[in-house]
């Protein structure tokens, strides 16, 4: 039976060694707590790190750990102390985490940490590959493993891979500062489906892919080599029933109350309220900011002194990383200062716990608090906010939530605040404390309804369903016309036939695109291939290009191949140039100034002036701006071209204007009249080559380079594969 392999840096369980004995505790953090219920149900396995560096385990303990982990359907990836320091604390948590959360000032880029990141992602890949069977699905999680999807895809191209990022994806302006931005994006693109919590993260990612890798994305699909990759948002939910039922049980009269519950309730009455915050101790959670805002609140509304208490649980996290140490110190000091400033004999404004708590105590905190104050400065989702709502079995209580948390987009009925505004903070805290019960209930009911419906199980199912659908996408759109298995027929045919013709486009077909068209001159390998084809008996080789005569003369004038240039204006055969068409060029005077205005307004674009045509290249400009400008230009030109017998050709990141009665198809059909051929292969990559495909006889092999819509019979990935094919004909 096929299985799903979950892969994340941290396993849902953590191993702790105390006096040579093992203790297994659940991991904290949204990823582990959320995916745990998904993992518990399926027949899959979870690959990740146990939380202990290898050096701290004796052989005997190591075996014990592996055994304990296996019991939980997990497989551990052994990390050394160096790995932990450089890959986990280093690259993951000193570079990626702060940058993706917009804390640029905390971000450090260290080459050796990047090397460790690559090395450890490779380690994960090896363990996944050891455990994978054909037909399995792999679901990779989070920022520690951004390179993993491609590492797996390289080795197992047919395995379906999903990737989900649990933290924000920052805007392009932030992401572009990353020295290894291309490698990171390419690593992620090994997945067939890439998921984010919100549409904003999704659009930031797409924007980076378009700008940095210069790939095309249509709606939420990216074409990448011979693959289509789907990108979508799936806001993660919680195990609603687990929290709701636990709250029911903890509130029931028959249940013996815990010490914590009793102590909390000593301080709750009609006019004495508890305000709760729970976070990992992380600078993204805005803990010092919250404390200061609470101080501001007590100043602004002094009547709440001795009436409210902030219960603040901060779970230790990444405590070896400098910024986290500083944060801990700052928090300790702030709590001390404010408690010192406001406390009375019977009242302390902040109860602060710096520790991890078991689930039962977490529930007691949730059900005992009148207000939850969840105010991160930046947070991918924030599950604590959702957990608080799920435990409000009587529909009372108020959630104050930062608009910087992904969760705020789906929790409109909470009091949404900007955590940077103390005014907003204090006013909403007052509003929460005075909110009529009726109002609390109606808001809570709305919130609960959504969380119950879109719970973590549903979230995972939707993701996996969407991942499965990518398989259809693969077979429908791409592989339908893939040359692959037909390649042998073509080669056999070629070897058998006696009058053979090869019509080959140049740019994007025989050579990849360069930023500047003049840089795309033929290399030795290409000359060699073309020479050998030319020398073959019974074979005519024709290069058919939109390039101008002068350029081709320079590049191929000393060769014997036939050339058709300027989209079909000139024919070079037997050392002689013949004009196939005599197009007018007087229109250029009026069109060129228009193109110039577009160049002025669109940085990165330029005009290529050819003898019979004008081309506006926009490969190097911002992709979104290019989209707007190409529509604009098209509109402006449409009215002009009709009157001048011109046509507009949309090539690969270029718009070309030329005389209507010139195109590659016309030139090819004339050429075909010279002789009868019994074998024809036409290869081209863009719109202008479609004319050739149309003119070729039905039995010809017409091959499109790339995977966009075409009239050609077959498709092939890129110029490199074209060269491989031509080599087979030699
Ligand atoms: P993050 O993923 O940044 O840690 P989230 O709010 O999304 O933040 O997730 C935190 C998760 O950790 C929640 O599911 C919460 O229940 C759990 N958690 C928080 N504090 C504790 C704790 N003290 N003990 C155990 N689990 C905790
Ligand atoms: C966040 C991240 C997770 C991470 C968790 C706890 O939820 O998205 O990937 O596991 O924090 O952090 P830690 O560094 O302890 O694994």
């Amino acid at each position: 039976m096929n299985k799903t392999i979950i892969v994340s840096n941290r396993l849902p369980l953590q191993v702790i060694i105390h006096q040579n004995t093992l203790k297994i505790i659940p991991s904290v953090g949204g990823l582990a707590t959320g995916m745990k219920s998904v993992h518990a149900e399926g027949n899959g396995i979870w690959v990740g790190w146990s939380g202990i560096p290898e050096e701290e385990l004796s052989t005997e303990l190591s075996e014990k750990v592996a055994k304990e982990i296996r019991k939980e359907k997990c497989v551990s990836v052994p990390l050394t102390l160096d790995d932990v320091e450089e890959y986990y604390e280093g690259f993951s948590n000193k570079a990626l985490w702060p940058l993706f959360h917009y804390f640029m000032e905390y971000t450090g880029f260290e080459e050796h940490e990047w090397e460790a990141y690559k090395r450890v992602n490779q380690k994960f890949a090896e363990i996944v590959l050891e455990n994978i069977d054909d037909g399995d699905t792999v679901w990779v999680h989070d920022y520690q493993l951004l390179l993993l999807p491609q590492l797996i895809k390289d080795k197992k191209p047919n395995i379906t891979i999903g990737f989900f990022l649990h933290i924000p994806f920052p805007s392009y302006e932030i992401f572009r500062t990353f020295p290894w931005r291309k490698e990171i994006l390419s690593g992620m693109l090994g997945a067939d489906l890439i998921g984010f919590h919100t549409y904003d993260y999704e659009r930031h990612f797409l924007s980076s892919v378009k700008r940095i890798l210069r790939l095309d994305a249509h709606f939420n699909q990216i074409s990448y080599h011979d693959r289509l990759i789907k990108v979508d948002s799936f806001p993660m939910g919680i195990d609603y029933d687990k929290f709701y039922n636990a709250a029911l049980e903890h509130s029931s009269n028959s249940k013996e109350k815990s010490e914590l519950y009793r102590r909390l309730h000593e301080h709750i009455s009609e006019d004495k309220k508890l305000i709760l915050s729970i976070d990992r101790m992380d600078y993204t959670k805005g803990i010092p900011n919250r404390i200061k805002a609470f101080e501001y609140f007590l100043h602004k509304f002094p009547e709440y002194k001795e009436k409210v208490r902030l219960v603040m649980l901060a779970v230790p996290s990444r405590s070896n990383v400098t910024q986290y140490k500083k944060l801990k110190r700052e928090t300790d000091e702030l709590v001390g200062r404010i408690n010192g400033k406001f406390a009375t004999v019977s009242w302390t404004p902040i109860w602060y716990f710096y520790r991890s708590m078991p689930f039962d105590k977490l529930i007691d905190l949730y059900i005992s608090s009148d207000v939850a104050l969840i105010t991160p400065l930046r947070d991918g989702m924030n599950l604590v906010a959702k957990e608080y709502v799920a435990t409000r079995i009587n529909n009372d209580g108020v959630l104050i939530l930062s608009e910087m948390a992904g969760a705020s987009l789906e929790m409109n009925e909470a009091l949404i605040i900007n955590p940077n505004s103390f005014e907003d903070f204090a006013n909403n805290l007052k509003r929460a404390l005075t909110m009529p019960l009726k109002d609390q209930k109606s808001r809570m009911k709305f919130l609960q309804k959504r969380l119950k419906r879109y719970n973590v199980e549903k979230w995972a199912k939707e993701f996996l369903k969407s991942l499965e659908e990518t398989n259809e996408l693969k077979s429908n759109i791409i592989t339908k016309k893939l040359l692959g298995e037909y390649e042998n027929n073509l080669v056999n045919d070629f070897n058998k036939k006696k009058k053979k013709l090869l019509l080959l486009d140049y740019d994007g077909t025989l050579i990849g695109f360069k930023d500047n068209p003049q840089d795309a001159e033929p290399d030795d390998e290409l000359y060699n291939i073309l020479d050998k084809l030319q020398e073959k008996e019974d074979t005519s080789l024709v290069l058919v290009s939109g390039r101008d005569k002068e350029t081709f003369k320079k590049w191929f004038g000393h060769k014997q191949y036939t050339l058709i240039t300027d989209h079909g204006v000139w024919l070079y055969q037997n050392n002689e140039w013949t004009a196939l068409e005599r197009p007018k060029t007087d229109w250029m005077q009026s069109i060129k100034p228009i193109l110039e205005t577009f160049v002025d307004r669109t940085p990165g674009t330029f005009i290529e002036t050819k003898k019979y045509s004008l081309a506006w290249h926009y490969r190097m400009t911002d992709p979104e701006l290019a989209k707007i400008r190409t529509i604009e230009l098209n509109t402006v030109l449409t009215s002009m071209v009709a009157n001048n017998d011109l046509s507009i050709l949309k090539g690969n990141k270029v718009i070309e204007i030329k005389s209507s009665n010139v195109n590659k198809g016309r030139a090819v059909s004339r050429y075909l009249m010279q002789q009868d051929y019994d074998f024809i292969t036409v290869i081209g990559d863009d719109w202008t080559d479609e004319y050739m495909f149309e003119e070729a006889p039905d039995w010809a092999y017409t091959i499109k380079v790339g995977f966009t819509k075409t009239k050609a019979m077959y498709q092939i990935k890129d110029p490199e594969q074209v060269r491989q094919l031509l080599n087979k004909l030699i």
Side-chain angles (χ1 to χ4, degrees):
M1 194 172 160
N2 296 339
K3 61 182 181 299
T4 300
I5 304 181
I6 300 173
V7 198
S8 67
N9 173 60
R10 206 177 267 292
L11 285 172
L13 48 93
Q14 248 187 300
V15 180
I16 293 186
I17 302 175
H18 186 61
Q19 294 175 337
N20 227 18
T21 56
L22 283 187
K23 206 173 143 201
I24 306 273
I25 58 160
S27 300
V28 289
L31 192 172
T33 49
M35 285 300 294
K36 204 153 42 183
S37 31
V38 178
H39 176 233
E41 281 186 6
N43 68 333
I45 54 168
W46 190 323
V47 175
W49 175 48
S50 67
I52 306 192
E54 280 308 283
E55 288 87 339
E56 289 176 16
L57 291 170
S58 61
T59 324
E60 187 200 350
L61 265 182
S62 179
E63 277 165 16
K64 259 190 179 171
V65 169
K67 203 168 140 206
E68 285 301 315
I69 286 180
R70 262 199 307 274
K71 266 198 235 159
E72 305 288 328
K73 299 193 291 179
C74 293
V75 179
S76 111
V77 180
L79 296 190
T80 63
L81 276 170
D82 280 350
D83 292 341
V84 174
E85 191 184 321
E86 296 179 316
Y87 143 82
Y88 168 68
E89 289 162 1
F91 199 78
S92 299
N93 288 317
K94 285 190 204 149
L96 290 169
W97 178 271
L99 192 81
F100 278 41
H101 285 87
Y102 295 76
F103 281 79
M104 276 191 81
E105 68 279 22
Y106 291 0
T107 306
F109 305 122
E110 299 286 345
E111 188 72 43
H112 70 102
E113 290 179 350
W114 165 240
E115 290 304 320
Y117 188 78
K118 288 195 283 184
R119 178 179 79 225
V120 175
N121 269 254
Q122 186 63 46
K123 261 191 191 182
F124 272 80
E126 277 153 27
I127 306 251
V128 171
L129 291 168
E130 278 167 22
N131 286 280
I132 220 167
D133 294 303
D134 287 345
D136 285 353
T137 299
V138 181
W139 189 358
V140 180
H141 292 264
D142 230 358
Y143 65 102
Q144 303 92 342
L145 300 174
L146 296 172
L147 304 179
L148 186 57
Q150 189 60 51
L151 292 174
I152 301 173
K153 191 60 102 190
D154 283 344
K155 291 280 183 306
K156 293 266 176 187
N158 294 327
I159 288 281
T160 306
I161 304 172
F163 178 83
F164 192 86
L165 187 72
H166 290 258
I167 64 174
F169 195 93
S171 100
Y172 161 71
E173 288 300 338
I174 297 277
F175 185 71
R176 68 190 300 196
T177 62
F178 213 72
W180 305 281
R181 56 206 179 170
K182 280 195 179 160
E183 289 87 337
I184 294 283
L185 292 177
S186 310
M188 293 172 80
L189 290 179
D192 301 290
L193 171 66
I194 301 178
F196 299 92
H197 282 306
T198 73
Y199 174 67
D200 284 330
Y201 309 155
E202 177 189 337
R203 83 186 157 77
H204 291 323
F205 173 74
L206 285 172
S207 145
S208 282
V209 165
K210 284 192 258 183
R211 288 172 171 80
I212 294 168
L213 297 183
R214 299 203 179 280
L215 295 181
D216 287 326
H218 296 288
F219 298 103
N220 61 346
Q221 285 175 8
I222 302 168
S223 333
Y224 187 48
H225 301 312
D226 52 345
R227 299 172 41 229
L228 270 184
I229 295 145
K230 204 158 96 181
V231 182
D232 212 340
S233 56
F234 305 85
M236 189 179 189
I238 55 164
D239 186 344
Y240 185 90
D241 289 343
K242 179 173 143 192
F243 283 88
Y244 184 84
N245 292 335
L248 259 187
E249 193 201 329
H250 280 232
S251 311
S252 95
N253 290 333
S254 55
K255 159 112 183 161
E256 197 191 328
K257 301 292 183 269
S258 69
E259 168 76 9
L260 175 68
Y261 182 94
R262 278 187 273 119
R263 297 297 295 272
L264 289 170
H265 281 257
E266 282 167 18
H267 299 272
I268 307 175
S269 65
E270 191 51 39
D271 68 341
K272 289 206 170 123
K273 306 229 159 151
L274 289 188
I275 303 162
L276 175 70
S277 75
I278 298 184
D279 322 84
R280 268 183 315 102
M281 179 62 101
D282 195 299
Y283 48 83
T284 59
K285 305 286 182 183
I287 298 171
N289 186 69
R290 183 184 307 143
I291 301 172
K292 289 180 201 160
F294 186 57
E295 179 184 23
Y296 181 82
F297 166 81
L298 291 176
H299 272 300
K300 184 166 181 189
F301 303 109
E303 64 274 24
Y304 283 97
K305 285 182 191 168
E306 305 211 320
K307 299 277 193 287
V308 295
R309 195 170 249 125
L310 175 60
V311 181
M312 216 176 71
L313 172 62
V315 188
S317 181
R318 307 172 196 166
S319 43
N320 283 334
V321 179
T322 321
Q323 290 301 343
Y324 290 75
K325 284 191 185 135
K326 280 193 188 154
L327 170 71
K328 162 79 170 53
R329 226 176 300 134
E330 189 187 357
T331 308
D332 290 353
E333 280 167 21
L334 270 171
V335 172
R337 181 173 71 70
I338 287 158
N339 277 346
K341 182 168 161 188
F342 291 99
T344 62
V345 215
S346 55
W347 177 67
T348 323
I350 304 175
W351 277 348
Y352 164 49
F353 304 91
Y354 177 65
R355 70 185 75 139
S356 192
M357 282 201 189
F359 181 72
D360 279 334
K361 286 195 176 168
L362 222 54
I363 296 293
D364 282 337
L365 282 174
Y366 282 141
I367 61 176
S368 307
S369 306
D370 305 282
V371 177
L373 193 54
I374 313 293
T375 56
L377 299 176
R378 195 66 69 164
D379 205 336
M381 171 50 68
N382 198 294
L383 298 181
V384 170
K386 295 187 170 180
E387 292 169 6
Y388 174 71
V389 169
T391 59
R392 306 309 298 176
I393 52 170
N394 297 322
N395 311 123
D396 57 355
V398 182
L399 170 66
I400 300 181
L401 181 59
S402 158
E403 67 176 66
M404 310 299 169
S408 71
L409 296 172
E410 338 152 44
M411 302 184 88
N412 281 324
E413 296 75 16
L415 299 184
I416 306 290
I417 64 163
N418 175 352
N420 300 306
S421 159
F422 283 8
E423 234 10 83
D424 207 10
F425 217 113
N427 294 341
N428 275 291
L429 187 48
K430 166 126 196 268
R431 189 171 164 210
L433 292 166
T434 52
M435 188 180 284
L437 191 60
K438 196 166 144 252
D439 204 359
Q440 293 179 26
K441 287 194 169 189
S442 77
R443 285 167 182 266
M444 212 35 106
K445 275 187 197 155
F446 266 111
L447 288 168
Q448 289 182 339
K449 198 169 158 204
R450 182 167 200 287
L451 290 185
K452 188 170 163 59
R453 192 169 47 82
Y454 200 83
N455 61 11
V456 70
E457 197 189 348
K458 176 112 178 165
W459 167 80
K461 273 200 181 133
E462 299 256 305
F463 183 91
L464 290 171
K465 194 171 116 218
S466 182
L467 181 57
E468 206 182 302
E469 283 164 8
T470 61
N471 287 322
E472 285 163 33
L473 208 69
K474 272 184 236 168
S475 50
N476 282 352
I477 300 181
I478 292 180
T479 49
K480 204 168 88 189
K481 290 181 157 192
L482 211 59
L483 179 66
E485 56 190 284
Y486 303 98
E487 198 174 86
N488 283 343
N489 296 355
L490 188 155
V491 177
N492 290 340
D493 245 10
F494 180 84
N495 290 333
K496 271 194 270 170
K497 299 288 162 99
K498 291 281 168 264
K499 281 190 175 169
K500 296 172 283 200
L501 172 63
L502 298 171
L503 294 162
L504 309 178
D505 165 54
Y506 183 73
D507 291 282
T509 298
L510 295 176
I511 198 148
F513 287 102
K514 299 281 161 23
D515 293 345
N516 187 333
Q518 294 316 319
D519 295 338
E521 54 191 27
D523 49 86
D524 289 345
E525 184 198 54
L526 181 59
Y527 277 132
N528 193 23
I529 294 174
L530 296 177
D531 287 347
K532 292 231 168 85
L533 282 174
Q534 168 66 27
E535 284 158 17
K536 279 196 91 73
E537 245 179 278
D538 313 323
T539 305
S540 307
L541 172 66
V542 186
L543 303 189
V544 189
S545 173
R547 291 277 185 170
D548 60 8
K549 183 179 157 198
E550 279 61 41
T551 308
F552 259 35
K553 207 181 210 172
K554 193 167 75 195
W555 290 347
F556 300 110
H558 57 297
K559 300 286 182 188
Q560 293 308 308
Y561 343 131
T562 302
L563 308 173
I564 293 177
T565 68
D566 299 272
H567 292 290
V569 176
W570 287 100
L571 171 71
Y572 179 71
Q573 207 173 11
N574 308 325
N575 299 321
E576 206 176 302
W577 287 96
T578 321
L580 296 175
E581 312 276 357
R582 301 218 173 269
K584 285 200 221 146
T585 52
D586 50 352
W587 55 270
M588 286 191 177
Q589 295 163 17
S590 43
I591 302 274
K592 197 164 179 191
I594 297 175
L595 293 184
E596 275 162 357
T597 66
F598 275 78
V599 170
D600 292 341
R601 293 188 303 130
T602 323
T605 65
F606 63 92
I607 302 169
E608 187 188 1
T609 308
K610 304 189 199 175
K611 202 145 186 190
Y612 303 103
S613 67
L614 290 173
W616 180 64
H617 290 266
Y618 59 87
R619 177 170 306 278
M620 295 302 289
T621 196
D622 180 277
E624 254 104 56
L625 181 60
K627 206 167 166 185
I628 298 168
R629 291 285 192 260
T630 47
I631 296 172
E632 259 181 64
L633 181 60
N634 207 31
T635 320
V636 174
L637 291 176
T638 308
S639 58
M640 306 195 63
V641 294
N643 302 335
N644 289 290
D645 229 357
L646 297 173
S647 55
I648 308 169
L649 293 183
K650 294 187 195 90
N652 194 322
K653 307 258 169 30
V654 55
I655 289 185
E656 190 158 358
I657 303 106
K658 59 164 198 52
S659 176
S660 289
N661 52 19
V662 173
N663 70 51
K664 288 181 178 179
R666 268 168 70 112
V668 162
S669 78
R670 283 201 196 183
Y671 186 84
L672 288 175
M673 280 192 278
Q674 292 184 2
Q675 274 200 53
D676 281 337
Y677 293 97
D678 59 2
F679 173 96
I680 300 178
T681 286
V682 188
I683 315 182
D685 76 299
D686 75 19
W687 209 75
T688 62
D689 300 313
E690 295 292 323
Y691 289 114
M692 293 205 281
F693 299 146
E694 274 174 22
E695 290 302 327
D698 293 347
W699 48 264
Y701 290 90
T702 46
I703 306 172
K704 159 99 174 175
V705 186
F707 296 99
T708 44
K709 217 172 144 204
T710 180
K711 292 207 172 90
M713 207 181 316
Y714 303 106
Q715 288 177 288
I716 196 169
K717 186 170 152 193
D718 54 20
E720 198 174 319
Q721 288 205 351
V722 173
R723 289 185 185 199
Q724 281 169 18
L725 171 68
L726 295 179
N727 263 321
K728 286 188 189 156
L729 301 185
I730 301 168

